[in-house]
């Protein structure tokens, strides 16, 4: 990937080129906007531009041939660190940031960032899932954000600045990203070969709300129908949790082979529920979906639930999600989870 094939976000590109050219690059950036619009690829391209040995960083261009460019592309460059939520966990953890209990501060992200750059001029870090940072985890990151190693650049990727902790927000330069244009999503759909026919690609793009990730999900009709079913169950009163569990089991049995694919689909399903719950909580706390954040229409908030109950429901759903990998039979896991949900919410 280079800047010539990267689509959209021209304003942000110019902004970074100026900041680098004027030697005024901040050390921490909070990159916010909907998922699936290219924030991560953008950050990776900035990393490549800063490290490429054959081009001038202030021109924001990359040669894509030097060893550095090749390594950044393959995510093997020793000076570019990547951090994301463990797929088995619902949040970024303190262990990931500071190392395990046995090796606190002697391993983990913050330690690695402090090690002198191996080959490049600086260290660069890309942290996914900033939305999931909890207060205690975020606190362990603050010292690094306050006193970063010389030249280090840290990108935190999230969906909306209002969903970040104020401690993180106040230490970051916020860069806002908007959804992609329909034309750009159409081009990406064709490039990723989601559909082959240009007019079908355009039609899919128009419904994608500017996100290639959403376009991918929309392109699977069974998934789309199932998503609607989940949302309908969550809005129903009284909630038919036996029917809800059965609908999920039926979907899993019909849509995915046994084993890891089925476990992954079940995780997707619980993530979808978590998204609805989180959105309900944000609505409840009057944190509006700001322009450019996740489209509100995707997540109608659940009514008549207190913030406290919603937090409990989110935690219970995340716990169920973490149990998926422990090879508990999906039916048993779902029944226990759904019963819990109904009991806590008195649905
Ligand atoms: Zn290069």
């Amino acid at each position: 990937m280079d800047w010539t094939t990267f689509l959209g976000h021209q304003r942000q590109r110019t902004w970074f080129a100026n900041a680098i050219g004027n030697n005024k690059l901040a050390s921490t950036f909070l990159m916010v906007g909907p998922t699936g619009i290219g924030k991560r690829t953008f950050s990776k391209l900035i990393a490549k531009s800063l490290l490429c040995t054959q081009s001038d960083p202030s021109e924001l261009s990359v040669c894509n041939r030097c060893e550095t460019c090749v390594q950044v592309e393959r995510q093997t460059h020793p000076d570019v660190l990547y951090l994301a939520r463990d797929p088995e966990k619902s949040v970024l953890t303190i262990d990931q940031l500071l190392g395990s209990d046995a090796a606190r501060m002697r391993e983990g992200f913050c330690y690695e960032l402090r090690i002198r750059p191996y080959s490049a001029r600086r260290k660069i870090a890309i942290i996914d899932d900033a939305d999931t940072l909890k207060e205690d985890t975020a606190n362990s990151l603050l010292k690094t954000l306050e006193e970063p190693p010389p030249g280090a650049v840290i990108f935190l990727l999230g969906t909306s600045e209002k969903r970040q902790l104020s401690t993180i927000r106040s230490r970051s330069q916020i860069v806002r990203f908007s959804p992609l244009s329909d034309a750009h999503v159409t081009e990406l759909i064709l490039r990723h070969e989601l559909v082959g026919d240009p007019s079908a690609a355009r039609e899919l793009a128009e419904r994608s709300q500017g996100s290639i990730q959403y376009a991918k999900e929309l392109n699977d009709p069974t998934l789309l129908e199932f998503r609607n079913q989940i949302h309908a169950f969550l809005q129903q009163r009284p909630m038919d949790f036996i029917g809800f569990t059965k609908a999920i089991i039926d979907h899993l049995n019909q849509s995915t082979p046994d084993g890891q694919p089925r476990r992954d689909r079940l995780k997707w399903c619980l993530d979808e529920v978590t998204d609805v719950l989180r959105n309900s909580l944000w609505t409840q706390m009057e944190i509006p979906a700001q322009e450019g954040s996740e489209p509100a229409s995707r997540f109608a908030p659940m009514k008549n639930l207190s913030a406290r109950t919603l937090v409990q429901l989110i935690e219970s759903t995340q716990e169920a999600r973490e149990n998926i990998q422990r090879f508990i039979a999906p039916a048993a896991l779902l029944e226990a989870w759904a019963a819990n949900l109904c009991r806590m919410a008195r649905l």
Side-chain angles (χ1 to χ4, degrees):
M1 173 67 75
D2 62 41
W3 290 108
T4 58
T5 50
F6 182 78
L7 299 176
H9 313 305
Q10 193 55 52
R11 193 170 48 81
Q12 291 80 349
R13 265 192 233 197
T14 312
W15 188 88
F16 269 97
N18 287 337
I20 296 169
N22 296 327
N23 220 357
K24 291 218 165 94
L25 195 65
S27 58
T28 304
F29 293 94
L30 186 54
M31 318 285 263
V32 290
T35 37
I37 60 168
K39 300 188 298 288
R40 192 168 196 284
T41 310
F42 184 96
S43 307
K44 212 170 135 180
L45 273 172
I46 296 285
K48 211 189 253 185
S49 308
L50 286 170
L51 302 181
C52 173
T53 55
Q54 302 298 318
S55 48
D56 177 2
S58 67
E59 283 171 16
L60 218 58
S61 63
V62 296
C63 78
N64 239 7
R65 286 185 306 274
C66 73
E67 205 185 334
T68 303
C69 279
V70 172
Q71 285 182 332
V72 175
E73 185 64 39
R74 290 186 186 151
Q75 299 201 180
T76 55
H77 196 287
D79 294 323
V80 185
L81 308 179
Y82 298 89
L83 182 68
R85 180 168 62 88
D86 178 333
E88 306 315 327
K89 305 270 182 199
S90 49
V91 294
L92 284 162
T93 64
I94 293 185
D95 286 5
Q96 285 181 292
L97 288 165
L98 299 184
S100 62
D101 266 342
R104 271 284 192 265
M105 319 294 279
R106 282 178 283 124
E107 59 175 37
F109 172 81
C110 296
Y111 171 78
E112 281 172 36
L113 191 72
R114 294 217 161 267
I115 297 176
R116 217 154 49 88
Y118 289 97
S119 55
R121 287 160 264 198
R122 54 170 100 221
K123 289 263 192 172
I124 297 175
I126 299 176
I127 306 181
D128 270 309
D129 308 308
D131 284 7
T132 73
L133 275 170
K134 286 185 160 182
E135 198 125 20
D136 52 348
T137 327
N139 284 343
S140 57
L141 190 60
L142 295 184
K143 195 171 164 350
T144 303
L145 300 187
E146 267 161 14
E147 297 165 28
V153 181
I154 302 166
F155 296 102
L156 286 149
L157 314 186
T159 57
S160 149
E161 67 190 85
K162 298 207 168 126
R163 290 171 185 178
Q164 310 304 319
L165 296 163
S166 58
T167 46
I168 295 281
R169 230 170 26 214
S170 64
R171 288 164 178 82
S172 311
Q173 167 93 54
I174 296 167
V175 185
R176 297 176 190 87
F177 289 78
S178 301
L180 293 165
S181 67
D182 287 352
H184 283 157
V185 180
T186 306
E187 200 173 328
L188 287 171
I189 288 169
L190 292 169
R191 213 188 268 174
H192 289 279
E193 297 177 348
L194 292 188
V195 295
D197 172 42
S199 71
R202 213 171 307 121
E203 211 173 284
L204 181 58
E206 280 164 13
R207 293 188 294 131
S208 73
Q209 314 200 42
S211 159
I212 186 66
Q213 184 169 317
Y214 193 30
K216 278 182 192 162
E217 290 175 13
L218 284 172
N219 197 36
D220 180 345
T222 59
L223 204 59
L224 186 62
E225 196 198 313
F226 181 52
R227 179 205 298 275
N228 293 339
Q229 225 178 333
I230 292 178
H231 288 215
F233 268 114
L234 291 173
Q235 302 298 343
Q236 206 180 52
R237 298 292 179 275
M239 197 175 137
D240 173 14
F241 70 88
I242 296 171
F244 188 26
T245 314
K246 189 178 173 307
I248 297 176
I249 298 286
D250 286 350
H251 171 78
L252 292 176
N253 290 341
Q254 286 158 19
S255 65
T256 47
D258 203 6
Q260 195 56 42
R262 196 168 289 177
R263 284 194 288 276
D264 287 343
R265 181 58 66 93
L266 182 53
K267 277 181 205 158
W268 174 88
C269 167
L270 293 181
D271 283 343
E272 193 63 27
V273 174
T274 305
D275 281 343
V276 175
L277 293 168
R278 271 209 188 112
N279 191 62
S280 309
L281 181 63
W282 284 323
T283 308
Q284 181 99 191
M285 293 164 75
E286 295 180 347
I287 300 177
Q290 69 196 63
E291 197 192 341
S293 78
E294 297 295 344
S297 57
R298 276 178 66 189
F299 308 111
M302 288 171 80
K303 293 182 193 83
N304 306 328
L305 292 174
S306 70
R308 198 184 130 89
T309 306
L310 284 164
V311 170
Q312 287 175 337
L313 297 181
I314 291 169
E315 281 172 0
S316 163
T317 307
Q318 290 178 343
E319 198 185 312
R321 190 191 188 282
E322 283 169 25
N323 279 332
I324 293 173
Q325 215 55 29
R326 300 198 182 118
F327 298 96
I328 298 170
L333 185 136
L334 281 168
E335 273 161 26
W337 165 73
N340 215 2
L341 208 70
C342 291
R343 185 180 49 77
M344 287 194 286
R346 298 195 184 85
L347 295 172

